[in-house]
Amino acid sequence: MGYVYCTTVFVFLQDWVALNSSLGLTNAIIFSFLAFMCLIAFFASVFIDPGGVPSSFAPEMENPQTKKGKSQYCDKCCAYKPPQTHHCRVCRRCVLKMDHHCSWIGNCVGYANYKSFISCIFYGSVASIYSAVIFFCDTLHREHGFRSSKWFGIDSLDHNHKQSLCLAHLPPIKKPNYHRVSGGGTSCMARKEMRSKLSASFRPRCI
């Protein structure tokens, strides 16, 4: 999980739109939130007890059997168990509303941690799709110079494109008026005027 997060944010996202831009920072915050929620739900699924059969549980004496005719009695635990309760061979106990024993979390998915397990799957799936989209956009950017300029404006254009736009809005350079003085030289006033006009004309005016 840490490897996927670092490569998505600091490699693909940085190469695509740069983290110091508004678009890159927004995508980094969204992906970090999804990864954080997935991590919290994962640890909750691992450390929360799925739920065991209370020691004071006893079936109804009038109807101790189920509809299928099987007694709600666990031969391995030597105790009665509620409906939808199963014995886990790995945990070696009966779990309330047991779904399955997940090897990824090293715990059973049952009554108490079922919600956190579903949340972990949800946030992990959304974060994986988000990471795949960022990787796909970065690949398009590397191969075809794609930066979603039509969607996100001029801030996400290539550097060469921005430079061409700046040069397109430069004013035409006018030839300065040279004031000839005696001796064939140029006066100090003419030189200052020429320098000021040249410096003003080379200032880019980007939209």
Side-chain angles (χ1 to χ4, degrees):
M1 186 180 295
Y3 174 78
V4 174
Y5 176 81
C6 292
T7 53
T8 301
V9 176
F10 300 106
V11 178
F12 301 136
L13 190 59
Q14 172 67 25
D15 184 67
W16 179 32
V17 289
L19 292 175
N20 56 357
S21 63
S22 59
L23 179 61
L25 184 61
T26 302
N27 283 276
I29 291 175
I30 295 175
F31 185 75
S32 299
F33 171 77
L34 294 174
F36 177 75
M37 294 300 296
C38 179
L39 190 64
I40 293 297
F42 173 78
F43 283 114
S45 302
V46 172
F47 293 107
I48 291 179
D49 186 78
V53 180
S55 58
S56 59
F57 173 77
E60 297 179 359
M61 299 305 297
E62 294 137 357
N63 187 17
Q65 294 183 344
T66 60
K67 294 181 180 179
K68 295 182 180 180
K70 294 182 180 180
S71 176
Q72 291 291 321
Y73 185 82
C74 180
D75 297 330
K76 296 180 180 179
C77 295
C78 298
Y80 288 98
K81 58 183 180 180
Q84 299 180 359
T85 302
H86 304 281
H87 184 87
C88 179
R89 293 178 296 177
V90 180
C91 298
R92 296 180 180 179
R93 64 166 183 165
C94 291
V95 179
L96 292 174
K97 293 186 178 180
M98 177 183 174
D99 187 80
H100 68 287
H101 182 89
C102 182
S103 58
W104 293 100
I105 64 176
N107 196 5
C108 286
V109 179
Y111 174 77
N113 63 347
Y114 189 81
K115 181 179 179 181
S116 58
F117 181 77
I118 295 299
S119 299
C120 179
I121 294 178
F122 172 76
Y123 286 113
S125 301
V126 175
S128 300
I129 295 174
Y130 205 96
S131 176
V133 171
I134 293 177
F135 170 75
F136 181 71
C137 292
D138 179 57
T139 304
L140 288 179
H141 164 62
R142 290 185 178 183
E143 299 295 333
H144 306 287
F146 171 76
R147 283 204 179 188
S148 301
S149 58
K150 295 182 180 180
W151 296 350
F152 304 115
I154 194 173
D155 290 338
S156 54
L157 291 176
D158 291 334
H159 177 71
N160 296 331
H161 194 184
K162 293 170 70 174
Q163 186 177 7
S164 63
L165 288 178
C166 294
L167 294 176
H169 291 84
L170 286 176
I173 301 176
K174 296 181 180 180
K175 185 177 181 181
N177 296 325
Y178 294 95
H179 301 282
R180 296 290 180 178
V181 295
S182 60
T186 306
S187 63
C188 294
M189 296 296 295
R191 291 178 182 177
K192 291 181 179 180
E193 180 183 358
M194 179 178 63
R195 289 175 181 175
S196 62
K197 289 184 178 181
L198 288 175
S199 60
S201 61
F202 277 104
R203 291 175 184 171
R205 295 181 295 177
C206 301
I207 298 175

